[in-house]
Amino acid sequence: MNLILLGLPGAGKGTQAKKISQEYNLPHIATGDILRLIAEEETPLGVRIKEYLDKGQLVPDEDAIMILKEELKKIDLSKGFVLDGFPRTVYQAKVLKEMLAEMNTQIDRAFYIEADPEKIIERIAGRRVCLNCGHSYHIKYNPPEQPGICDYCGEELVLRSDDKEETVRKRIQIQLDELKKITDYFQEEEILEVISGGSIEEIYAEIKKAIEGES
Ligand code: AP5
Ligand code: MG
């Protein structure tokens, strides 16, 4: 089963991808998490990527595609995967389709998690993330068992450097247009599932229902 999670920054892609990954034993590929690790490196690529992330801009398609290709090589494709943060443009979506076709597979479903941009700002302000294993928490809606510590790997939780309100607003503005084009694209491909907002558990229940074919 090959799944995609789509949504604005803060819609809950990472949160839901982790839950799907654990329950269905699918590798979780999050291009944003990989880019944040690359941006910490003192290499020409790291420096270049950091500039895009700090400005809240998408990285160029060729960088995102190169990263995804490398990640797909690391996994056993016959077991499936859940993509979080890719594709971000219709071009990336088309390249992904071609790439998977060459490997005799395809995307089965693309879940679009709807979210109100104003609620997202509040959510992101309360987000704390684990840079080690990629889990994200919320100080009010999804707190860790021990404040400031990841439940899964025990690392310290931090604020993301692109989570300043001004950068979040920019990320939302930049992604709104492209997201509409991508959801239209997957609608035409007949694999789009729109998931309306709600609590983390309500959204997950909707996704699960769709995966298990009850919707
Ligand atoms: P990325 O890391 O993917 O960031 P994003 O799209 O901005 O999304 P977020 O990770 O901020 O939000 P999320 O939807 O995962 O929400 P989360 O589950 O954490 O990308 C970062 C950057 O990398 C991009 O800006 C771009 O520059 C670049 N990039 C990445 N991929 C790229 C690509 N393919 N091409 C080009 N550039 C690329 O939840 C948010 C918070 O809300 C958490 O605190 C969570 O606990 C809480 N929460 C979640 N769901 C709910 C709920 N239902 N109710 C209440 N709280 C909730
Ligand atoms: Mg995320």
Side-chain angles (χ1 to χ4, degrees), residues 110-162:
F111 292 104
Y112 167 38
I113 308 172
E114 287 185 318
D116 171 354
E118 280 310 312
K119 276 201 189 136
I120 283 171
I121 310 271
E122 183 212 342
R123 272 194 206 169
I124 289 187
R127 169 163 63 184
R128 300 293 179 272
V129 298
C130 174
L131 293 180
N132 181 45
C133 72
H135 274 90
S136 72
Y137 299 84
H138 191 280
I139 47 176
K140 191 159 120 197
Y141 306 122
N142 183 25
E145 279 166 22
Q146 216 184 319
I149 304 292
C150 179
D151 292 346
Y152 295 87
C153 72
E155 283 290 314
E156 203 174 319
L157 301 176
V158 296
L159 279 162
R160 261 169 55 174
S161 63
D162 60 346

Side-chain angles (χ1 to χ4, degrees), residues 1-4 20 23-27 77-83 105-109 111 207 210-212:
M1 184 166 56
N2 301 330
L3 307 175
I4 289 180
I20 298 170
E23 178 153 2
Y24 297 96
N25 202 18
L26 299 176
L77 271 178
S78 66
K79 298 214 171 103
F81 53 79
V82 49
L83 283 186
T105 187
Q106 77 290 314
I107 294 297
D108 299 305
R109 276 169 200 268
F111 292 104
I207 292 178
I211 290 177
E212 293 175 8

Side-chain angles (χ1 to χ4, degrees), residues 187-203:
Q187 179 83 55
E188 278 165 30
E189 295 277 302
E190 298 182 354
I191 55 169
L192 185 74
E193 294 277 348
V194 180
I195 307 287
S196 46
S199 68
I200 293 174
E201 291 310 326
E202 283 164 347
I203 293 174

Side-chain angles (χ1 to χ4, degrees), residues 19 34 38 44 48 60 66 68-69 71 80 135 150 157 173 191 193 197 200:
K19 291 173 85 66
I34 299 162
I38 295 175
R48 199 158 57 78
M66 183 260 297
L68 183 77
K69 266 191 188 152
E71 289 307 301
H135 274 90
C150 179
L157 301 176
Q173 195 193 346
I191 55 169
E193 294 277 348
I200 293 174

Side-chain angles (χ1 to χ4, degrees), residues 7-16 31-33 35-36 52-53 56-61 64 84-89 92 123-124 126-129 136-139 141-142 160 162-163 171 175 197-201 203:
L8 284 175
K13 301 180 293 299
T15 303
Q16 299 297 334
T31 45
D33 290 354
L35 286 164
R36 275 183 288 283
Y52 286 101
L53 297 191
Q57 293 173 345
L58 293 179
V59 307
D61 282 338
D84 152 16
F86 194 101
R88 280 306 222 289
T89 61
Q92 290 181 16
R123 272 194 206 169
I124 289 187
R127 169 163 63 184
R128 300 293 179 272
V129 298
S136 72
Y137 299 84
H138 191 280
I139 47 176
Y141 306 122
N142 183 25
R160 261 169 55 174
D162 60 346
D163 277 354
R171 276 159 54 205
Q175 293 186 38
S199 68
I200 293 174
E201 291 310 326
I203 293 174

